[in-house]
Amino acid sequence: MAKKVENVLRTQHSTSKPERRKSADFWFYLARVLNLCSWLAFLAAVIISYFVAPETNYGVLRYHNIEIRQFWLTPLTGYLYLVIWFSAASSYSALLIDKYRSRRVQDNPHYNLYILLVINLLWLSVILHHVLSAANII
């Protein structure tokens, strides 16, 4: 009985279509490179924002009468804005490529890219709000 089931499984497996995706293609590698670039751009944005944002007004600094920058550095804010947009665009592009290239339901849903995209868009809106309020536009 077990041999009959095994023979049936072998004949079904041999008559099924061969695997079309034997190796990764260009789009797979492009999605991975975009994913890596978006995370590196996000890391660069975190480093740039450390230098761009106003300094924290600690009590020790007030006590010693050390000057504290209370404004955003405008030239670097433009670079920060561009780096965050690049990170958001590359993560969105990687999500689109993965959406149209995945053929199985159990493929990786890439939650990290969704989270990165949401963080980037929220960060863009916060920076835009701070810059516009500092310029007395809003």
Side-chain angles (χ1 to χ4, degrees):
M1 179 70 175
K3 288 195 175 205
K4 286 183 183 180
V5 172
E6 190 175 330
N7 287 337
V8 169
L9 289 175
R10 269 193 212 144
T11 57
Q12 286 177 353
H13 182 30
S14 64
T15 59
S16 65
K17 293 181 181 179
E19 177 65 30
R20 292 185 293 170
R21 298 192 302 178
K22 295 184 189 234
S23 65
D25 60 347
F26 168 75
W27 295 104
F28 176 81
Y29 290 122
L30 181 65
R32 297 306 167 259
V33 166
L34 285 173
N35 188 358
L36 180 66
C37 287
S38 65
W39 278 104
L40 289 176
F42 180 74
L43 181 64
V46 168
I47 293 169
I48 292 171
S49 74
Y50 175 76
F51 295 108
V52 171
E55 297 171 351
T56 307
N57 192 4
Y58 293 114
V60 174
L61 297 175
R62 285 191 308 263
Y63 179 75
H64 292 291
N65 293 326
I66 297 174
E67 288 188 35
I68 301 163
R69 184 174 41 87
Q70 299 290 330
F71 55 90
W72 288 71
L73 292 176
T74 309
L76 291 179
T77 305
Y79 292 125
L80 176 64
Y81 206 64
L82 289 175
V83 169
I84 295 173
W85 268 115
F86 174 75
S87 176
S90 59
S91 62
Y92 184 69
S93 300
L95 283 171
L96 282 178
I97 290 171
D98 283 335
K99 179 183 182 217
Y100 289 112
R101 294 298 294 171
S102 63
R103 296 181 181 160
R104 294 179 291 269
V105 175
Q106 63 267 26
D107 281 348
N108 188 359
H110 301 288
Y111 292 124
N112 63 337
L113 287 176
Y114 286 112
I115 292 170
L116 180 64
L117 184 63
V118 168
I119 290 171
N120 282 328
L121 294 177
L122 288 174
W123 198 3
L124 283 169
S125 63
V126 166
I127 289 173
L128 186 61
H129 180 267
H130 282 293
V131 169
L132 292 178
S133 65
N136 293 327
I137 295 175
I138 54 172

